[in-house]
Amino acid sequence: MSFEIHVSGAPKAAVEATVPALIADLVASRITAGDPTLWGPAAEEEASKRLGWVDAVSISRPLVAPIERLRADFSARGVDRFVLAGMGGSSLAPEVITRTAGVPLVILDSTAPGQVLAALDGDSESGGLERTALIVSSKSGSTVETDSARRAFEAAFRDLGIDPAERIVVVTDPGSPLDASAREAGYHVFNADPNVGGRYSALTAFGLVPSGLAGADIGELLDEADATLLEVAVDSPENPALALGAAIAATQNAAGARKDKLGLVSDGTHIEGLPDWIEQLIAESTGKDGTGILPVVLLPVSPELEVELHDLLVARLVDDAAHFRILERHPGEVLVSGSLGAQLVVWEYATAIAGRLLGINPFDQPDVESAKVATRGLLEQRPEPSAPAFVVDGVEVRVSEPELAASGTIAGVLDSLWSRLGPDGYVSVQAYVNRLEIPQLAGLRELVAADSGRPTTFGWGPRFLHSTGQYHKGGPATGVFLQITERTDVDLEIPGLPFTFGQLIEAQAAGDASVLAAHGRPVVTLTLTDPAVDVLSLFEAAQ
């Protein structure tokens, strides 16, 4: 088998109780056949145009040769640095594919001005714009982050006397506004299957074009995926997707309630970054109608965070047959292993199966647009930022509810935020900063989990808006939210638009905070005004 799953304890009980009904309902074979009725009448229209991913391997085969030819053409012209402008599934799938393959691909999935400038400038090792091609990846082209990046690169190429048509590759749906404008501009265009949603698009042009141009062996990736297609299509107890879908959607805790939080741990696997891709796939697919599965990407867990694990169903991504030894050390977990292509296929099937078990439509994202609307409104109106509740140690503190700031200290604000957590609650840390300059902020996840005693997610803004952002607004109302933003002198104009990258990311953070508050979710925003602030020390002192 190209994919293996091992379960024990509560997940095993869930699989044994749930899979027989899935087999009786022919769920696996009906997904493979593209049956849109599996998720109920309300989801049928959307599902009927979102199941193309089950045929992605065969549909994508003809893309391999032209992608390889274009890479060879770029190489012959001295172009060997590739930047991908994309969000959500358009960036996370190529990121895991290229990291696993060990080939460089610059991912631009942020509007932080410093990150955009870094993507434009390159470095002495990888080269600058003279050696760079941009891949613009968007189903419609209307995604503001991707459109803004395209505008910046077009202007930068022209400033160097480079024709953008020689350096820009577009991946989009056929007939989209971007498809039309890109062809008119003379850009290289690859069309993807329009019957595939972004988060299920790993094995379509959205995943393959950037990865193949960067140097990954996409033919081998498709072979790996192809090897597991029969396994997931058969209505059988041996189907790993049925078992995985049942485990993540039906495992219960000791009190008989469904475990709605999924810890994702990479344990010695050769696949790099897979938990981040799984996170957006599951969170955006299931987090709606007041229910869902919240993925929590974990590093190998330190002892002080063991309390967090009691609330999580842990899926451990491993490489080989050390499964049984690991299972003995970690009873009650889900262990999965397989090639990257197999992992992509099985997790997509399992997520669709989980959607059926949860009674939701796994192919829509009804709450993603709300943050976009709020951002557009702020950019059009340009209101003055709300006054901070207080300022201390180079940090401005803003809160969605005055009571959260009553203490007048950062430690007190955090304690007030944690006090709003119920027994099923979680903390979401969202960092709208240049992560190239402050990568250590990711360490906040463990600090916050230890301090709050609750499962904690961490997301870089604005990319998480195309991922867990759906769950935060559409899933259970049990989260509290900590935003980290920054004020910096670094900014960059967006050609043809009346706002800068700095104004855009500020509006995205403020817009999302306003939508969360409107949904009754408590939000604290800490804005770093002093670049010398040691954020981790600030939080360690607050504990």
Side-chain angles (χ1 to χ4, degrees), residues 147-186:
D147 177 64
S148 299
R150 175 186 58 80
R151 292 168 180 268
F153 270 82
E154 286 174 339
F157 282 136
R158 291 191 181 103
D159 287 346
L160 283 179
I162 297 172
D163 182 356
E166 297 179 357
R167 297 296 186 89
I168 294 181
V169 179
V170 169
V171 185
T172 190
D173 282 357
S176 72
L178 178 58
D179 189 31
S181 63
R183 292 184 187 279
E184 183 178 350

mmCIF file of all heavy atoms in Angstrom, residues 147-186:
data_model
loop_
_atom_site.group_PDB
_atom_site.id
_atom_site.type_symbol
_atom_site.label_atom_id
_atom_site.label_comp_id
_atom_site.label_asym_id
_atom_site.label_seq_id
_atom_site.Cartn_x
_atom_site.Cartn_y
_atom_site.Cartn_z
ATOM 1 N N ASP A 147 -3.094 39.934 -6.772
ATOM 2 C CA ASP A 147 -3.157 41.033 -7.739
ATOM 3 C C ASP A 147 -2.143 42.122 -7.397
ATOM 4 O O ASP A 147 -1.467 42.660 -8.286
ATOM 5 C CB ASP A 147 -4.571 41.615 -7.765
ATOM 6 C CG ASP A 147 -4.689 42.813 -8.690
ATOM 7 O OD1 ASP A 147 -4.502 42.634 -9.908
ATOM 8 O OD2 ASP A 147 -4.952 43.930 -8.190
ATOM 9 N N SER A 148 -2.002 42.443 -6.115
ATOM 10 C CA SER A 148 -1.057 43.479 -5.701
ATOM 11 C C SER A 148 0.380 43.051 -5.986
ATOM 12 O O SER A 148 1.197 43.856 -6.451
ATOM 13 C CB SER A 148 -1.240 43.784 -4.210
ATOM 14 O OG SER A 148 -2.544 44.271 -3.947
ATOM 15 N N ALA A 149 0.694 41.792 -5.719
ATOM 16 C CA ALA A 149 2.042 41.297 -6.004
ATOM 17 C C ALA A 149 2.334 41.356 -7.505
ATOM 18 O O ALA A 149 3.432 41.747 -7.920
ATOM 19 C CB ALA A 149 2.188 39.873 -5.486
ATOM 20 N N ARG A 150 1.355 40.955 -8.311
ATOM 21 C CA ARG A 150 1.558 41.015 -9.767
ATOM 22 C C ARG A 150 1.874 42.436 -10.220
ATOM 23 O O ARG A 150 2.801 42.659 -11.020
ATOM 24 C CB ARG A 150 0.307 40.512 -10.483
ATOM 25 C CG ARG A 150 0.369 40.640 -12.012
ATOM 26 C CD ARG A 150 -0.960 40.272 -12.655
ATOM 27 N NE ARG A 150 -2.063 41.090 -12.177
ATOM 28 C CZ ARG A 150 -2.321 42.331 -12.611
ATOM 29 N NH1 ARG A 150 -1.523 42.899 -13.523
ATOM 30 N NH2 ARG A 150 -3.348 43.005 -12.144
ATOM 31 N N ARG A 151 1.132 43.397 -9.724
ATOM 32 C CA ARG A 151 1.355 44.794 -10.098
ATOM 33 C C ARG A 151 2.771 45.247 -9.712
ATOM 34 O O ARG A 151 3.452 45.942 -10.483
ATOM 35 C CB ARG A 151 0.318 45.691 -9.415
ATOM 36 C CG ARG A 151 -1.109 45.508 -9.922
ATOM 37 C CD ARG A 151 -2.104 46.211 -9.011
ATOM 38 N NE ARG A 151 -3.479 46.063 -9.447
ATOM 39 C CZ ARG A 151 -4.113 46.924 -10.238
ATOM 40 N NH1 ARG A 151 -3.484 48.001 -10.675
ATOM 41 N NH2 ARG A 151 -5.364 46.706 -10.590
ATOM 42 N N ALA A 152 3.211 44.858 -8.521
ATOM 43 C CA ALA A 152 4.537 45.268 -8.062
ATOM 44 C C ALA A 152 5.633 44.667 -8.940
ATOM 45 O O ALA A 152 6.612 45.348 -9.286
ATOM 46 C CB ALA A 152 4.729 44.853 -6.603
ATOM 47 N N PHE A 153 5.492 43.398 -9.309
ATOM 48 C CA PHE A 153 6.507 42.761 -10.137
ATOM 49 C C PHE A 153 6.492 43.297 -11.564
ATOM 50 O O PHE A 153 7.554 43.475 -12.177
ATOM 51 C CB PHE A 153 6.314 41.245 -10.126
ATOM 52 C CG PHE A 153 7.061 40.555 -9.019
ATOM 53 C CD1 PHE A 153 6.535 40.492 -7.735
ATOM 54 C CD2 PHE A 153 8.303 39.995 -9.246
ATOM 55 C CE1 PHE A 153 7.219 39.876 -6.711
ATOM 56 C CE2 PHE A 153 9.008 39.367 -8.226
ATOM 57 C CZ PHE A 153 8.465 39.311 -6.939
ATOM 58 N N GLU A 154 5.318 43.549 -12.099
ATOM 59 C CA GLU A 154 5.267 44.129 -13.445
ATOM 60 C C GLU A 154 6.043 45.435 -13.502
ATOM 61 O O GLU A 154 6.848 45.665 -14.417
ATOM 62 C CB GLU A 154 3.804 44.365 -13.850
ATOM 63 C CG GLU A 154 3.047 43.103 -14.209
ATOM 64 C CD GLU A 154 1.567 43.374 -14.456
ATOM 65 O OE1 GLU A 154 1.045 44.416 -13.985
ATOM 66 O OE2 GLU A 154 0.926 42.542 -15.129
ATOM 67 N N ALA A 155 5.809 46.304 -12.520
ATOM 68 C CA ALA A 155 6.495 47.599 -12.498
ATOM 69 C C ALA A 155 7.999 47.418 -12.315
ATOM 70 O O ALA A 155 8.811 48.094 -12.961
ATOM 71 C CB ALA A 155 5.925 48.464 -11.381
ATOM 72 N N ALA A 156 8.381 46.484 -11.429
ATOM 73 C CA ALA A 156 9.806 46.274 -11.171
ATOM 74 C C ALA A 156 10.520 45.713 -12.403
ATOM 75 O O ALA A 156 11.651 46.120 -12.708
ATOM 76 C CB ALA A 156 9.975 45.329 -9.985
ATOM 77 N N PHE A 157 9.888 44.794 -13.111
ATOM 78 C CA PHE A 157 10.483 44.273 -14.350
ATOM 79 C C PHE A 157 10.672 45.397 -15.364
ATOM 80 O O PHE A 157 11.738 45.534 -15.976
ATOM 81 C CB PHE A 157 9.603 43.170 -14.943
ATOM 82 C CG PHE A 157 9.727 41.829 -14.266
ATOM 83 C CD1 PHE A 157 8.599 41.073 -13.978
ATOM 84 C CD2 PHE A 157 10.965 41.301 -13.938
ATOM 85 C CE1 PHE A 157 8.688 39.832 -13.366
ATOM 86 C CE2 PHE A 157 11.081 40.054 -13.322
ATOM 87 C CZ PHE A 157 9.944 39.326 -13.033
ATOM 88 N N ARG A 158 9.654 46.215 -15.534
ATOM 89 C CA ARG A 158 9.742 47.308 -16.515
ATOM 90 C C ARG A 158 10.848 48.294 -16.136
ATOM 91 O O ARG A 158 11.560 48.803 -17.011
ATOM 92 C CB ARG A 158 8.402 48.024 -16.640
ATOM 93 C CG ARG A 158 7.318 47.174 -17.288
ATOM 94 C CD ARG A 158 6.082 48.002 -17.633
ATOM 95 N NE ARG A 158 5.038 47.175 -18.223
ATOM 96 C CZ ARG A 158 3.954 46.759 -17.583
ATOM 97 N NH1 ARG A 158 3.767 47.103 -16.304
ATOM 98 N NH2 ARG A 158 3.064 46.009 -18.200
ATOM 99 N N ASP A 159 11.003 48.554 -14.840
ATOM 100 C CA ASP A 159 12.051 49.473 -14.399
ATOM 101 C C ASP A 159 13.437 48.966 -14.781
ATOM 102 O O ASP A 159 14.365 49.774 -14.972
ATOM 103 C CB ASP A 159 11.970 49.669 -12.878
ATOM 104 C CG ASP A 159 10.783 50.526 -12.456
ATOM 105 O OD1 ASP A 159 10.187 51.187 -13.337
ATOM 106 O OD2 ASP A 159 10.451 50.521 -11.254
ATOM 107 N N LEU A 160 13.588 47.644 -14.890
ATOM 108 C CA LEU A 160 14.870 47.060 -15.277
ATOM 109 C C LEU A 160 14.986 46.851 -16.784
ATOM 110 O O LEU A 160 15.981 46.300 -17.266
ATOM 111 C CB LEU A 160 15.069 45.717 -14.569
ATOM 112 C CG LEU A 160 15.484 45.746 -13.100
ATOM 113 C CD1 LEU A 160 15.606 44.325 -12.559
ATOM 114 C CD2 LEU A 160 16.808 46.484 -12.917
ATOM 115 N N GLY A 161 13.958 47.281 -17.526
ATOM 116 C CA GLY A 161 13.969 47.085 -18.968
ATOM 117 C C GLY A 161 13.628 45.673 -19.384
ATOM 118 O O GLY A 161 13.942 45.253 -20.509
ATOM 119 N N ILE A 162 12.976 44.916 -18.498
ATOM 120 C CA ILE A 162 12.572 43.538 -18.786
ATOM 121 C C ILE A 162 11.099 43.530 -19.151
ATOM 122 O O ILE A 162 10.264 44.111 -18.445
ATOM 123 C CB ILE A 162 12.808 42.627 -17.564
ATOM 124 C CG1 ILE A 162 14.306 42.568 -17.226
ATOM 125 C CG2 ILE A 162 12.267 41.222 -17.817
ATOM 126 C CD1 ILE A 162 14.608 41.851 -15.922
ATOM 127 N N ASP A 163 10.754 42.885 -20.239
ATOM 128 C CA ASP A 163 9.360 42.753 -20.635
ATOM 129 C C ASP A 163 8.673 41.760 -19.690
ATOM 130 O O ASP A 163 9.071 40.592 -19.634
ATOM 131 C CB ASP A 163 9.282 42.243 -22.078
ATOM 132 C CG ASP A 163 7.841 42.126 -22.593
ATOM 133 O OD1 ASP A 163 6.901 42.369 -21.810
ATOM 134 O OD2 ASP A 163 7.680 41.782 -23.779
ATOM 135 N N PRO A 164 7.652 42.203 -18.955
ATOM 136 C CA PRO A 164 6.984 41.274 -18.039
ATOM 137 C C PRO A 164 6.454 40.019 -18.728
ATOM 138 O O PRO A 164 6.359 38.961 -18.097
ATOM 139 C CB PRO A 164 5.835 42.112 -17.465
ATOM 140 C CG PRO A 164 6.294 43.525 -17.588
ATOM 141 C CD PRO A 164 7.102 43.562 -18.857
ATOM 142 N N ALA A 165 6.124 40.124 -20.016
ATOM 143 C CA ALA A 165 5.609 38.962 -20.732
ATOM 144 C C ALA A 165 6.642 37.844 -20.805
ATOM 145 O O ALA A 165 6.286 36.670 -20.992
ATOM 146 C CB ALA A 165 5.167 39.366 -22.136
ATOM 147 N N GLU A 166 7.923 38.176 -20.660
ATOM 148 C CA GLU A 166 8.968 37.169 -20.703
ATOM 149 C C GLU A 166 9.199 36.509 -19.347
ATOM 150 O O GLU A 166 9.893 35.499 -19.260
ATOM 151 C CB GLU A 166 10.284 37.798 -21.173
ATOM 152 C CG GLU A 166 10.228 38.351 -22.593
ATOM 153 C CD GLU A 166 11.544 38.989 -22.985
ATOM 154 O OE1 GLU A 166 12.458 39.049 -22.127
ATOM 155 O OE2 GLU A 166 11.669 39.435 -24.136
ATOM 156 N N ARG A 167 8.609 37.085 -18.294
ATOM 157 C CA ARG A 167 8.949 36.625 -16.952
ATOM 158 C C ARG A 167 7.742 36.241 -16.090
ATOM 159 O O ARG A 167 7.937 35.812 -14.969
ATOM 160 C CB ARG A 167 9.725 37.721 -16.218
ATOM 161 C CG ARG A 167 11.055 38.076 -16.847
ATOM 162 C CD ARG A 167 12.038 36.901 -16.820
ATOM 163 N NE ARG A 167 13.332 37.296 -17.298
ATOM 164 C CZ ARG A 167 14.301 37.795 -16.542
ATOM 165 N NH1 ARG A 167 14.093 37.935 -15.238
ATOM 166 N NH2 ARG A 167 15.455 38.138 -17.057
ATOM 167 N N ILE A 168 6.531 36.433 -16.570
ATOM 168 C CA ILE A 168 5.369 36.164 -15.733
ATOM 169 C C ILE A 168 4.585 34.975 -16.281
ATOM 170 O O ILE A 168 4.253 34.923 -17.471
ATOM 171 C CB ILE A 168 4.453 37.403 -15.618
ATOM 172 C CG1 ILE A 168 5.189 38.509 -14.854
ATOM 173 C CG2 ILE A 168 3.148 37.055 -14.896
ATOM 174 C CD1 ILE A 168 4.385 39.775 -14.648
ATOM 175 N N VAL A 169 4.329 34.034 -15.398
ATOM 176 C CA VAL A 169 3.537 32.847 -15.705
ATOM 177 C C VAL A 169 2.262 32.925 -14.881
ATOM 178 O O VAL A 169 2.305 33.220 -13.688
ATOM 179 C CB VAL A 169 4.309 31.558 -15.355
ATOM 180 C CG1 VAL A 169 3.471 30.323 -15.662
ATOM 181 C CG2 VAL A 169 5.646 31.517 -16.079
ATOM 182 N N VAL A 170 1.127 32.667 -15.508
ATOM 183 C CA VAL A 170 -0.160 32.772 -14.834
ATOM 184 C C VAL A 170 -0.827 31.404 -14.783
ATOM 185 O O VAL A 170 -0.878 30.688 -15.791
ATOM 186 C CB VAL A 170 -1.077 33.789 -15.540
ATOM 187 C CG1 VAL A 170 -2.512 33.700 -15.014
ATOM 188 C CG2 VAL A 170 -0.529 35.200 -15.361
ATOM 189 N N VAL A 171 -1.330 31.054 -13.605
ATOM 190 C CA VAL A 171 -2.143 29.847 -13.428
ATOM 191 C C VAL A 171 -3.522 30.315 -12.984
ATOM 192 O O VAL A 171 -3.655 30.976 -11.948
ATOM 193 C CB VAL A 171 -1.545 28.893 -12.376
ATOM 194 C CG1 VAL A 171 -2.357 27.598 -12.318
ATOM 195 C CG2 VAL A 171 -0.084 28.603 -12.680
ATOM 196 N N THR A 172 -4.539 29.968 -13.757
ATOM 197 C CA THR A 172 -5.884 30.452 -13.441
ATOM 198 C C THR A 172 -6.925 29.565 -14.106
ATOM 199 O O THR A 172 -6.592 28.680 -14.907
ATOM 200 C CB THR A 172 -6.044 31.921 -13.904
ATOM 201 O OG1 THR A 172 -7.262 32.458 -13.402
ATOM 202 C CG2 THR A 172 -6.035 32.029 -15.420
ATOM 203 N N ASP A 173 -8.179 29.805 -13.770
ATOM 204 C CA ASP A 173 -9.265 29.056 -14.406
ATOM 205 C C ASP A 173 -9.501 29.561 -15.826
ATOM 206 O O ASP A 173 -9.341 30.760 -16.100
ATOM 207 C CB ASP A 173 -10.557 29.208 -13.601
ATOM 208 C CG ASP A 173 -10.583 28.327 -12.362
ATOM 209 O OD1 ASP A 173 -9.626 27.556 -12.156
ATOM 210 O OD2 ASP A 173 -11.565 28.411 -11.600
ATOM 211 N N PRO A 174 -9.889 28.685 -16.731
ATOM 212 C CA PRO A 174 -10.192 29.135 -18.095
ATOM 213 C C PRO A 174 -11.368 30.097 -18.092
ATOM 214 O O PRO A 174 -12.369 29.893 -17.413
ATOM 215 C CB PRO A 174 -10.527 27.837 -18.830
ATOM 216 C CG PRO A 174 -10.904 26.862 -17.757
ATOM 217 C CD PRO A 174 -10.105 27.231 -16.561
ATOM 218 N N GLY A 175 -11.216 31.180 -18.852
ATOM 219 C CA GLY A 175 -12.301 32.150 -18.959
ATOM 220 C C GLY A 175 -12.399 33.134 -17.823
ATOM 221 O O GLY A 175 -13.293 33.995 -17.808
ATOM 222 N N SER A 176 -11.487 33.036 -16.847
ATOM 223 C CA SER A 176 -11.521 33.983 -15.730
ATOM 224 C C SER A 176 -11.045 35.352 -16.212
ATOM 225 O O SER A 176 -10.400 35.476 -17.254
ATOM 226 C CB SER A 176 -10.608 33.500 -14.604
ATOM 227 O OG SER A 176 -9.241 33.645 -14.971
ATOM 228 N N PRO A 177 -11.346 36.421 -15.462
ATOM 229 C CA PRO A 177 -10.820 37.736 -15.832
ATOM 230 C C PRO A 177 -9.303 37.748 -15.950
ATOM 231 O O PRO A 177 -8.745 38.395 -16.846
ATOM 232 C CB PRO A 177 -11.306 38.639 -14.688
ATOM 233 C CG PRO A 177 -12.543 37.967 -14.180
ATOM 234 C CD PRO A 177 -12.285 36.495 -14.325
ATOM 235 N N LEU A 178 -8.618 37.014 -15.069
ATOM 236 C CA LEU A 178 -7.163 36.944 -15.145
ATOM 237 C C LEU A 178 -6.723 36.202 -16.397
ATOM 238 O O LEU A 178 -5.719 36.569 -17.023
ATOM 239 C CB LEU A 178 -6.609 36.255 -13.900
ATOM 240 C CG LEU A 178 -5.089 36.063 -13.855
ATOM 241 C CD1 LEU A 178 -4.359 37.383 -13.959
ATOM 242 C CD2 LEU A 178 -4.687 35.324 -12.566
ATOM 243 N N ASP A 179 -7.440 35.170 -16.781
ATOM 244 C CA ASP A 179 -7.115 34.423 -17.996
ATOM 245 C C ASP A 179 -7.118 35.358 -19.200
ATOM 246 O O ASP A 179 -6.182 35.374 -20.004
ATOM 247 C CB ASP A 179 -8.141 33.297 -18.180
ATOM 248 C CG ASP A 179 -7.771 32.339 -19.296
ATOM 249 O OD1 ASP A 179 -6.570 32.141 -19.549
ATOM 250 O OD2 ASP A 179 -8.692 31.791 -19.931
ATOM 251 N N ALA A 180 -8.161 36.167 -19.295
ATOM 252 C CA ALA A 180 -8.287 37.074 -20.436
ATOM 253 C C ALA A 180 -7.195 38.138 -20.426
ATOM 254 O O ALA A 180 -6.538 38.386 -21.456
ATOM 255 C CB ALA A 180 -9.669 37.727 -20.419
ATOM 256 N N SER A 181 -6.970 38.779 -19.279
ATOM 257 C CA SER A 181 -5.988 39.861 -19.221
ATOM 258 C C SER A 181 -4.567 39.337 -19.402
ATOM 259 O O SER A 181 -3.723 39.997 -20.032
ATOM 260 C CB SER A 181 -6.109 40.619 -17.891
ATOM 261 O OG SER A 181 -5.808 39.780 -16.789
ATOM 262 N N ALA A 182 -4.273 38.134 -18.880
ATOM 263 C CA ALA A 182 -2.935 37.566 -19.012
ATOM 264 C C ALA A 182 -2.625 37.208 -20.461
ATOM 265 O O ALA A 182 -1.507 37.446 -20.943
ATOM 266 C CB ALA A 182 -2.802 36.332 -18.125
ATOM 267 N N ARG A 183 -3.596 36.647 -21.149
ATOM 268 C CA ARG A 183 -3.365 36.303 -22.555
ATOM 269 C C ARG A 183 -3.193 37.567 -23.395
ATOM 270 O O ARG A 183 -2.367 37.622 -24.313
ATOM 271 C CB ARG A 183 -4.514 35.442 -23.070
ATOM 272 C CG ARG A 183 -4.553 34.058 -22.421
ATOM 273 C CD ARG A 183 -5.647 33.165 -22.999
ATOM 274 N NE ARG A 183 -5.753 31.914 -22.246
ATOM 275 C CZ ARG A 183 -4.962 30.860 -22.414
ATOM 276 N NH1 ARG A 183 -3.995 30.913 -23.321
ATOM 277 N NH2 ARG A 183 -5.133 29.769 -21.700
ATOM 278 N N GLU A 184 -3.969 38.590 -23.056
ATOM 279 C CA GLU A 184 -3.841 39.849 -23.789
ATOM 280 C C GLU A 184 -2.460 40.468 -23.568
ATOM 281 O O GLU A 184 -1.877 41.073 -24.471
ATOM 282 C CB GLU A 184 -4.924 40.825 -23.324
ATOM 283 C CG GLU A 184 -4.937 42.143 -24.080
ATOM 284 C CD GLU A 184 -6.047 43.063 -23.622
ATOM 285 O OE1 GLU A 184 -6.925 42.627 -22.856
ATOM 286 O OE2 GLU A 184 -6.040 44.244 -24.026
ATOM 287 N N ALA A 185 -1.909 40.297 -22.364
ATOM 288 C CA ALA A 185 -0.590 40.841 -22.062
ATOM 289 C C ALA A 185 0.547 39.977 -22.604
ATOM 290 O O ALA A 185 1.710 40.378 -22.548
ATOM 291 C CB ALA A 185 -0.438 40.990 -20.548
ATOM 292 N N GLY A 186 0.217 38.788 -23.116
ATOM 293 C CA GLY A 186 1.235 37.913 -23.672
ATOM 294 C C GLY A 186 1.955 37.047 -22.662
ATOM 295 O O GLY A 186 3.034 36.519 -22.940
#
